[in-house]
Amino acid sequence: MKRLLPTFAILFACAALAWSAEPASLTTLRAIHALSNAEAAKAFPVSFEATVTYFRSYTRELFVQDGDAAIYILYPKDITLVPGDRVLVRGKTQSSFRPLVESNDITVLRHGDLPKSTPATYNELVHNQHDAMRVTVHAVVRSADLIFRQNVRSTYLHMLTEEGAIDASVESSDASVLKSLLDAEVEVTGVTSARFDSKMQQTGVLLHANTMTDVKVLKRAGASLWTL
């Protein structure tokens, strides 16, 4: 019996090490995107490649996409990225309105093309069927304004589709194009997310567009509102 005790001790120690070992990293965005919020709250380690689809440094907003999966990245330190950058993201999962990734290790591998956008409807977007994905929507512009956020100007569009209202935030400070957008029929390409109130309850749909070239005018208004 005494001879067996060291063997049992070794086996117990090996089992303890196995139980305490960290789980293997999730290496695809598809696997991360498939997590529930309860699973994401367990802070699973991740290490995956994806393409930057939207980046705004002054509000620390970053979306990435790989194939038909996309996600929001929370990053604590200053980095410089541009849409189209292929990056390696290391970090951990976190629960939110939907699962996201918290990372302090983002490496640019190369620069390439943006993922092809997916045509989307208001009904699909309001039910989060394309969450964090790069999409294109067809709408009519009801208002176009310059807004200030952390002393940076950008464009904010209120638009109306056949099914409901969609807003778009565009990284452009060019005021000269705003008047011609009123009542124009447009196609806007951007990254989709929910719009929230102060209680983090979803109140609508918001698109994040990188430049004004992402706003394609299909048909301008029959008459200028500024001459009526």
Side-chain angles (χ1 to χ4, degrees):
M1 182 66 182
K2 291 182 178 180
R3 293 179 178 177
L4 294 176
L5 288 177
T7 302
F8 288 148
I10 293 173
L11 292 175
F12 181 80
C14 292
L17 287 173
W19 293 334
S20 63
E22 292 187 0
S25 294
L26 299 174
T27 58
T28 67
L29 190 47
R30 179 185 291 272
I32 300 166
H33 193 265
L35 296 175
S36 66
N37 248 341
E39 291 170 328
K42 297 178 181 178
F44 290 119
V46 302
S47 179
F48 65 95
E49 288 188 23
T51 299
V52 174
T53 51
Y54 180 80
F55 175 73
R56 185 161 65 182
S57 60
Y58 58 91
T59 55
R60 296 186 184 275
E61 293 183 62
L62 171 61
F63 289 88
V64 299
Q65 183 174 330
D66 188 45
D68 59 356
I71 204 164
Y72 179 82
I73 306 293
L74 183 66
Y75 63 97
K77 63 181 182 180
D78 291 335
I79 55 176
T80 300
L81 299 169
V82 295
D85 280 346
R86 187 71 176 179
V87 293
L88 174 63
V89 180
R90 296 185 180 93
K92 58 185 179 180
T93 61
Q94 181 176 312
S95 62
S96 184
F97 178 74
R98 296 177 71 90
L100 55 82
V101 168
E102 181 180 1
S103 173
N104 59 6
D105 187 356
I106 300 175
T107 303
V108 177
L109 303 175
R110 59 187 180 277
H111 186 76
D113 296 329
L114 283 166
K116 185 178 180 180
S117 65
T118 301
T121 66
Y122 169 84
N123 188 59
E124 292 171 342
L125 297 179
V126 80
H127 288 94
N128 302 305
Q129 294 182 25
H130 303 287
D131 185 57
M133 295 282 290
R134 192 165 181 265
V135 301
T136 297
V137 299
H138 188 170
V140 174
V141 177
R142 289 309 187 196
S143 69
D145 302 286
L146 285 181
I147 62 172
F148 285 85
R149 187 174 297 175
Q150 297 188 12
N151 296 320
V152 179
R153 291 197 305 178
S154 61
T155 298
Y156 201 89
L157 306 178
H158 292 282
M159 305 178 296
L160 189 64
T161 71
E162 294 181 352
E163 298 172 319
I166 293 177
D167 290 351
S169 177
V170 187
E171 294 309 297
S172 170
S173 58
D174 186 358
S176 64
V177 302
L178 300 187
K179 292 182 180 180
S180 63
L181 287 177
L182 294 179
D183 265 355
E185 187 178 337
V186 297
E187 276 187 349
V188 179
T189 297
V191 174
T192 178
S193 71
R195 185 159 48 84
F196 302 98
D197 61 15
S198 59
K199 299 179 180 179
M200 281 302 291
Q201 296 175 325
Q202 184 174 354
T203 58
V205 176
L206 177 63
L207 295 182
H208 304 270
N210 292 304
T211 68
M212 193 55 74
T213 59
D214 291 322
V215 181
K216 180 181 178 181
V217 177
L218 303 179
K219 182 180 179 181
R220 299 198 180 276
S224 171
L225 299 178
W226 302 97
T227 60
L228 294 179

